[in-house]
Amino acid sequence: GRGLLVLLLSATVSLLGGLIFGYELGIISGALLQLQTDFQLSCFKQEVLVSAVLIGALLASLAGGILIDRHGRRRAILVSSLVLLVGSLILTLARSFAVLVIGRGTVGFAISVSSMACCIYVSEMVAAHQRGLLVSLYEAGITVGILLSYALNYVFADVDEGWRYMFGLAIAPTAMQFLSILFLPVNPVKLSLWDSDCQKGLIPLQDTEDKAAAKRGPYQEKHYSFLDLFRTRDNMRRRTLVGLGLVLFQQFTGQPNVLGYASKIFHSVGFQSNSSAILASVGLGAIKVVATLVAMALADKAGRRVLLMAGCVVMATSVTTIGLTSRMAPLAMARDCKAAAGPNASHSLTQQPLTPVLPQSAVSPIPPASGAAQSQAGPGFAATRSFTKVSASTQSKEVVPNPSLTQKRDLVGQSRKGTLESTGPPLSAAPWAQHTVLNWITLLSMMAFVSAFSIGFGPMTWLVLSEIYPAGIRGRAFAFCNSFNWAANLLISLSFLDLIDAIGFSWMFLLYGLMGVMAVLFIYLFVPETKGQSLEEIDQQFSKKR
C-alpha cells in the first residue's frame, strides 16, 4: 500500500510540475495582448517581459544545481513551489511594468529549478521498469499545461484586467504540488534503495559481478566537484558530452522555430480565420499530447535510444521536405510588431496571426521544455522543456500571440474603434496560395515533425539526463546541461528571422535537416541504452573504460 501511494504521489508531482511549466510558458501569449494596452507597452518592453522568464530560467540553471545536490531534490521542489507562489502573487498584484518583469523573472527561476528537481527526484524514486513512464509524464504535463493556458487565454480575453486571473490561476496547481511533495520521503539515494531493490528482485542485474557487489553492501555514493564533469574520472567527460549533445541537438534541429509559421501553413491549405487559429494552436497541441503519451508507453519497452533515433530521422525528413516545398511554394513572412497607442487601440499585431511556438523542455526542462515545452521543458524546461510561447526578435520586433485569442480580441477592437488596422497584403495575393498539393505536403510534414519531437527529443532528452550522472553530482550536471538548453533556445529565437533574411527560409530548414542527420549519428555513436537498468547499473556502465 505504501509503495502504491509513493508511486501515485511521484506521478502527481511529475505531472503537476510539467503542467505548471507548460502553463507559465503558454499564458504570456494571451496576457501580453492585454498588457500592451493596459501598460502602453512598446515592442521593446514586450520583448523584455517575454525574455524575463528566459533570463530567470537561465540563472536558475546556473545556481539550481547546487541547491539540488546540497539540500536534496525534495527540498528543492518545495522551495521552487514557494518561489513560484510568490512570483504568481507578484504578477497578479502588479501595478507597474517593472513589477511585471520581476514577477516573470521570479516565475522563470522557479519553473527551471522545479523542472530539474522533478525529473531527478522521480527518476530516483521509482523502480527501473517504471522510470521511463513516470519521468516522461513530466513532458505530458507540459503539453497539457500549454493547452490549458490557451483555453484560459480565450476565456479571460474580454475580462477587464483578465491577465491578473491568467497569472493568478497558476497558484492552484503549485499549491497542489507543494502538498503532494510533503507526503513523499526524502531522496531515496540516501536510503540505499539500490541494495534493497536488488535484494527484492525489482531490478534484474546484468551479471554475477554486479550481484556479488550488491550482496557485499549498500551502494556507496561518491562525492564529486563541479570540475569533475570535464575530467576522465568515472568517464565523466563522456557523460557531459552526451548531455550537452542531446540538449544542443534538441534546439538546433529547429524545434523552437518550426511551429512559428504553423498558422501560415494552415492558411495556405484553405483554413481561414478562426479555423486556422484553432487548428494551429489547439490542433497541434493535441497532436503533441497524443505523441507524448505514445512516448510514455514506449519508453520502457522500445528504449530511449530507439525513440531518439527514430524521432530524429522523422524530424530530419520533415524539415527537409518543408525546406524543399517552400522553395517551390514560398511562404510569406510577417515581421510586424505594433505597440498599443492607447487604451482603445486594436490588439491586432498581424493581419494573419502566427501560432505561438510550442515549447519543450522542455523543459521539457524540459524544461518546459516545456514543455513545454516545454519542453517546455523540459524540463524541460521542456521548459522544455522551443521555450517560449512568444517569439521575440530584437531587430524584427515581432511578437507572436495566441492566434485564436488575437482574432477574438480583434473583434472587440473592431466594435470599439469601428475600423481595424491591416498590416499585410490580402491572403488571396499570397504567392503560395496556388500550390495546393505542395502546401498539404508541407502541412503533413509539420505535423510529422511535431509528433516525432514529442516522441523522441521532447521527453527522452530529460529522461536520459536524469539517468546518466552519478547521484553525487546529478543536480549540478543536469543544471549545467540545462543552462546550455536555455541559452541555445534564446540564441535561436533571437536570430531566426535574421538568418532567414540572410540565407532564405528554405535553406534554413534544409540546414535543420542536416542537423537532424548529425543528431542521428551522434545518438548512434555516443548515447547508450538505459531502459530497465537501475541508476547504479547505468553509473557502473559509464564508469568502465570503453
Side-chain angles (χ1 to χ4, degrees), residues 487-534:
N489 188 288
L490 185 59
L491 174 67
I492 291 170
S493 297
L494 293 177
S495 62
F496 180 60
L497 291 173
D498 296 315
L499 281 173
I500 285 181
D501 284 345
I503 65 175
F505 184 87
S506 59
W507 283 110
M508 190 76 224
F509 276 71
L510 291 174
L511 182 61
Y512 286 151
L514 177 62
M515 295 299 293
V517 173
M518 293 172 63
V520 173
L521 293 174
F522 173 83
I523 293 163
Y524 179 77
L525 293 173
F526 294 105
V527 180
E529 183 54 73
T530 57
K531 71 170 181 177
Q533 300 174 42
S534 74

Coordinates of all heavy atoms in Angstrom, one line a residue, residues 487-534:
A487 N 20.2 28.8 -23.1 CA 21.0 29.7 -23.8 C 20.8 29.5 -25.3 O 20.7 30.4 -26.1 CB 22.5 29.6 -23.4
A488 N 20.9 28.2 -25.8 CA 20.7 27.9 -27.2 C 19.3 28.3 -27.7 O 19.2 28.8 -28.8 CB 21.0 26.4 -27.4
N489 N 18.3 28.1 -26.8 CA 17.0 28.4 -27.2 C 16.8 29.9 -27.4 O 16.2 30.4 -28.4 CB 16.0 28.0 -26.1 CG 14.6 28.1 -26.5 OD1 14.1 29.3 -26.6 ND2 13.9 27.0 -26.8
L490 N 17.4 30.7 -26.5 CA 17.4 32.2 -26.6 C 18.1 32.6 -27.8 O 17.6 33.5 -28.6 CB 18.0 32.8 -25.3 CG 17.9 34.3 -25.2 CD1 16.5 34.8 -25.2 CD2 18.6 34.7 -23.9
L491 N 19.3 32.1 -28.1 CA 20.0 32.4 -29.3 C 19.3 32.2 -30.6 O 19.2 33.0 -31.5 CB 21.4 31.7 -29.3 CG 22.3 31.8 -30.5 CD1 22.8 33.2 -30.6 CD2 23.4 30.8 -30.5
I492 N 18.7 31.0 -30.7 CA 18.0 30.6 -31.9 C 16.7 31.5 -32.1 O 16.4 31.9 -33.2 CB 17.6 29.1 -31.8 CG1 18.8 28.2 -31.9 CG2 16.6 28.7 -33.0 CD1 18.6 26.8 -31.6
S493 N 16.0 31.7 -31.0 CA 14.8 32.6 -31.1 C 15.1 34.0 -31.6 O 14.4 34.6 -32.3 CB 14.1 32.6 -29.7 OG 13.6 31.3 -29.4
L494 N 16.2 34.5 -31.1 CA 16.6 35.9 -31.4 C 17.2 36.0 -32.8 O 17.1 37.1 -33.5 CB 17.6 36.4 -30.4 CG 17.0 36.7 -29.0 CD1 18.1 37.1 -28.1 CD2 15.9 37.7 -29.0
S495 N 17.8 34.9 -33.3 CA 18.5 35.0 -34.6 C 17.7 34.5 -35.8 O 18.1 34.6 -36.9 CB 19.8 34.3 -34.5 OG 19.6 32.9 -34.3
F496 N 16.6 33.8 -35.5 CA 15.9 33.1 -36.6 C 15.5 33.9 -37.8 O 15.8 33.6 -38.9 CB 14.6 32.4 -36.0 CG 13.8 31.6 -36.9 CD1 14.3 30.5 -37.6 CD2 12.5 31.9 -37.2 CE1 13.6 29.8 -38.5 CE2 11.7 31.2 -38.1 CZ 12.3 30.1 -38.7
L497 N 14.8 35.0 -37.5 CA 14.3 35.9 -38.6 C 15.5 36.5 -39.4 O 15.4 36.7 -40.6 CB 13.3 36.9 -38.1 CG 12.0 36.4 -37.6 CD1 11.1 37.4 -37.0 CD2 11.2 35.7 -38.8
D498 N 16.5 36.9 -38.7 CA 17.7 37.5 -39.3 C 18.4 36.5 -40.2 O 18.9 36.8 -41.3 CB 18.6 38.1 -38.3 CG 18.0 39.2 -37.5 OD1 17.4 40.0 -38.1 OD2 18.1 39.2 -36.3
L499 N 18.4 35.2 -39.7 CA 19.0 34.2 -40.6 C 18.2 33.9 -41.8 O 18.7 33.6 -42.9 CB 19.2 32.9 -39.8 CG 20.4 32.8 -38.8 CD1 20.3 31.5 -37.9 CD2 21.7 32.8 -39.6
I500 N 16.9 34.0 -41.7 CA 16.0 33.8 -42.8 C 16.3 34.9 -43.9 O 16.4 34.7 -45.1 CB 14.5 33.8 -42.4 CG1 14.2 32.5 -41.8 CG2 13.6 34.1 -43.6 CD1 12.8 32.4 -41.3
D501 N 16.5 36.1 -43.4 CA 16.8 37.3 -44.3 C 18.2 37.0 -45.0 O 18.3 37.3 -46.1 CB 16.9 38.6 -43.5 CG 15.6 39.1 -43.1 OD1 14.6 38.7 -43.7 OD2 15.5 40.0 -42.2
A502 N 19.1 36.4 -44.3 CA 20.4 36.2 -44.8 C 20.5 35.0 -45.8 O 21.1 35.2 -46.9 CB 21.4 36.0 -43.7
I503 N 19.9 33.9 -45.5 CA 20.1 32.7 -46.3 C 18.8 32.2 -46.9 O 18.8 31.3 -47.8 CB 20.8 31.5 -45.6 CG1 19.9 31.0 -44.4 CG2 22.1 32.0 -45.0 CD1 20.4 29.8 -43.7
G504 N 17.6 32.7 -46.5 CA 16.3 32.3 -47.0 C 15.7 31.2 -46.2 O 16.3 30.4 -45.5
F505 N 14.4 31.2 -46.3 CA 13.5 30.3 -45.4 C 13.9 28.8 -45.8 O 14.0 28.0 -44.9 CB 12.1 30.6 -45.7 CG 11.1 29.7 -44.8 CD1 10.7 30.2 -43.6 CD2 10.6 28.6 -45.3 CE1 9.9 29.4 -42.8 CE2 9.7 27.8 -44.5 CZ 9.4 28.3 -43.3
S506 N 13.9 28.5 -47.1 CA 14.1 27.1 -47.5 C 15.5 26.6 -47.1 O 15.6 25.4 -46.6 CB 13.9 26.9 -49.0 OG 14.8 27.7 -49.7
W507 N 16.5 27.4 -47.2 CA 17.8 27.0 -46.8 C 17.9 26.8 -45.3 O 18.7 25.9 -44.8 CB 18.9 28.0 -47.3 CG 19.2 27.8 -48.8 CD1 18.9 28.7 -49.8 CD2 19.9 26.7 -49.4 NE1 19.3 28.2 -51.0 CE2 19.9 27.0 -50.8 CE3 20.4 25.6 -49.0 CZ2 20.5 26.2 -51.7 CZ3 21.0 24.7 -49.9 CH2 21.0 25.0 -51.3
M508 N 17.2 27.6 -44.6 CA 17.2 27.5 -43.1 C 16.7 26.1 -42.7 O 17.2 25.4 -41.8 CB 16.3 28.6 -42.5 CG 16.4 28.7 -41.0 SD 17.9 29.5 -40.5 CE 18.4 28.5 -39.1
F509 N 15.6 25.7 -43.3 CA 15.0 24.4 -43.0 C 15.8 23.2 -43.5 O 15.9 22.2 -42.9 CB 13.6 24.3 -43.5 CG 12.6 25.0 -42.5 CD1 12.6 26.3 -42.4 CD2 11.7 24.2 -41.8 CE1 11.7 26.9 -41.5 CE2 10.9 24.8 -40.9 CZ 10.8 26.2 -40.7
L510 N 16.5 23.4 -44.6 CA 17.4 22.4 -45.1 C 18.6 22.2 -44.2 O 19.1 21.1 -43.9 CB 17.9 22.7 -46.5 CG 16.9 22.6 -47.6 CD1 17.4 23.1 -49.0 CD2 16.4 21.2 -47.8
L511 N 19.0 23.3 -43.6 CA 20.1 23.3 -42.5 C 19.6 22.5 -41.3 O 20.4 21.7 -40.7 CB 20.5 24.7 -42.2 CG 21.6 24.9 -41.2 CD1 22.9 24.2 -41.7 CD2 21.9 26.3 -40.8
Y512 N 18.3 22.7 -40.9 CA 17.8 22.0 -39.8 C 17.8 20.5 -40.1 O 18.0 19.6 -39.3 CB 16.3 22.4 -39.5 CG 16.2 23.8 -38.8 CD1 15.1 24.6 -39.0 CD2 17.2 24.2 -38.0 CE1 15.0 25.8 -38.4 CE2 17.1 25.4 -37.3 CZ 16.0 26.2 -37.6 OH 15.9 27.4 -36.9
G513 N 17.5 20.1 -41.4 CA 17.5 18.7 -41.8 C 18.9 18.1 -41.7 O 19.0 17.0 -41.2
L514 N 19.9 18.9 -42.0 CA 21.3 18.4 -41.9 C 21.7 18.2 -40.4 O 22.3 17.2 -40.1 CB 22.3 19.4 -42.5 CG 23.8 19.1 -42.4 CD1 24.1 17.8 -43.1 CD2 24.6 20.3 -43.0
M515 N 21.2 19.1 -39.6 CA 21.5 19.0 -38.1 C 20.8 17.7 -37.6 O 21.3 17.0 -36.7 CB 21.0 20.2 -37.4 CG 21.7 21.5 -37.7 SD 23.5 21.4 -37.3 CE 23.4 21.3 -35.5
G516 N 19.6 17.4 -38.2 CA 18.9 16.2 -37.7 C 19.7 14.9 -38.1 O 19.7 14.0 -37.3
V517 N 20.3 14.9 -39.3 CA 21.1 13.8 -39.7 C 22.3 13.6 -38.7 O 22.7 12.5 -38.3 CB 21.6 13.9 -41.1 CG1 22.6 12.8 -41.5 CG2 20.4 13.9 -42.1
M518 N 22.9 14.8 -38.4 CA 24.1 14.7 -37.5 C 23.7 14.3 -36.1 O 24.4 13.5 -35.4 CB 24.7 16.1 -37.4 CG 25.4 16.6 -38.7 SD 25.9 18.4 -38.6 CE 27.1 18.3 -37.3
A519 N 22.4 14.6 -35.7 CA 21.9 14.2 -34.4 C 21.8 12.6 -34.3 O 22.1 12.0 -33.3 CB 20.6 14.8 -34.1
V520 N 21.3 12.1 -35.5 CA 21.1 10.6 -35.5 C 22.5 9.9 -35.3 O 22.6 9.0 -34.6 CB 20.5 10.2 -36.9 CG1 20.5 8.6 -37.0 CG2 19.1 10.7 -37.0
L521 N 23.5 10.4 -36.0 CA 24.9 9.9 -35.9 C 25.4 10.0 -34.5 O 26.0 9.1 -33.9 CB 25.8 10.6 -36.9 CG 25.5 10.3 -38.4 CD1 26.4 11.2 -39.3 CD2 25.7 8.8 -38.7
F522 N 25.1 11.2 -33.9 CA 25.6 11.4 -32.5 C 25.0 10.4 -31.5 O 25.7 9.8 -30.7 CB 25.3 12.8 -32.1 CG 25.6 13.1 -30.6 CD1 26.9 13.5 -30.2 CD2 24.6 13.1 -29.7 CE1 27.1 13.7 -28.9 CE2 24.8 13.3 -28.3 CZ 26.1 13.6 -28.0
I523 N 23.7 10.2 -31.7 CA 23.0 9.3 -30.8 C 23.5 7.9 -31.0 O 23.7 7.1 -30.0 CB 21.4 9.4 -31.0 CG1 20.9 10.8 -30.5 CG2 20.7 8.3 -30.2 CD1 19.6 11.1 -31.1
Y524 N 23.7 7.5 -32.2 CA 24.1 6.1 -32.5 C 25.5 5.9 -31.9 O 25.8 4.8 -31.4 CB 24.1 5.9 -34.0 CG 24.6 4.6 -34.5 CD1 23.8 3.4 -34.4 CD2 25.9 4.4 -34.9 CE1 24.3 2.2 -34.7 CE2 26.4 3.1 -35.3 CZ 25.6 2.0 -35.2 OH 26.0 0.8 -35.5
L525 N 26.4 6.9 -32.0 CA 27.8 6.7 -31.6 C 28.0 6.8 -30.0 O 28.8 6.2 -29.4 CB 28.7 7.6 -32.3 CG 28.8 7.4 -33.8 CD1 29.6 8.5 -34.4 CD2 29.5 6.1 -34.1
F526 N 27.2 7.7 -29.4 CA 27.5 8.1 -28.0 C 26.5 7.8 -27.0 O 26.8 7.7 -25.8 CB 27.8 9.6 -28.0 CG 29.1 10.0 -28.8 CD1 29.0 10.7 -30.0 CD2 30.3 9.7 -28.3 CE1 30.1 11.0 -30.7 CE2 31.5 10.1 -29.0 CZ 31.4 10.7 -30.2
V527 N 25.2 7.7 -27.3 CA 24.2 7.6 -26.3 C 23.9 6.1 -26.1 O 23.4 5.4 -27.0 CB 22.9 8.3 -26.7 CG1 21.8 8.2 -25.7 CG2 23.2 9.8 -27.0
P528 N 24.1 5.6 -24.8 CA 23.8 4.2 -24.5 C 22.3 4.0 -24.2 O 21.6 4.9 -24.0 CB 24.6 4.0 -23.2 CG 24.6 5.3 -22.6 CD 24.6 6.4 -23.7
E529 N 21.9 2.7 -24.3 CA 20.6 2.3 -23.9 C 20.5 2.2 -22.4 O 21.4 1.5 -21.8 CB 20.2 1.0 -24.6 CG 18.7 0.6 -24.3 CD 17.7 1.7 -24.6 OE1 17.5 2.0 -25.8 OE2 17.2 2.4 -23.7
T530 N 19.5 2.8 -21.8 CA 19.4 2.7 -20.3 C 18.1 2.1 -19.8 O 17.9 2.1 -18.6 CB 19.5 4.1 -19.7 OG1 18.5 5.0 -20.3 CG2 20.9 4.8 -20.0
K531 N 17.3 1.6 -20.7 CA 16.0 1.0 -20.2 C 16.2 -0.2 -19.3 O 17.1 -1.0 -19.5 CB 15.1 0.7 -21.4 CG 15.6 -0.5 -22.2 CD 14.6 -1.0 -23.2 CE 15.0 -2.2 -24.0 NZ 14.1 -2.7 -24.9
G532 N 15.4 -0.3 -18.3 CA 15.4 -1.5 -17.5 C 16.6 -1.6 -16.5 O 16.7 -2.7 -15.9
Q533 N 17.4 -0.6 -16.5 CA 18.6 -0.7 -15.6 C 18.4 0.3 -14.4 O 17.9 1.4 -14.6 CB 19.9 -0.3 -16.4 CG 20.1 -1.2 -17.6 CD 21.3 -0.7 -18.4 OE1 22.3 -0.3 -17.8 NE2 21.2 -0.8 -19.7
S534 N 19.0 -0.1 -13.3 CA 19.0 0.8 -12.2 C 19.9 2.0 -12.4 O 20.8 1.9 -13.3 CB 19.4 0.1 -10.9 OG 20.8 -0.2 -10.9

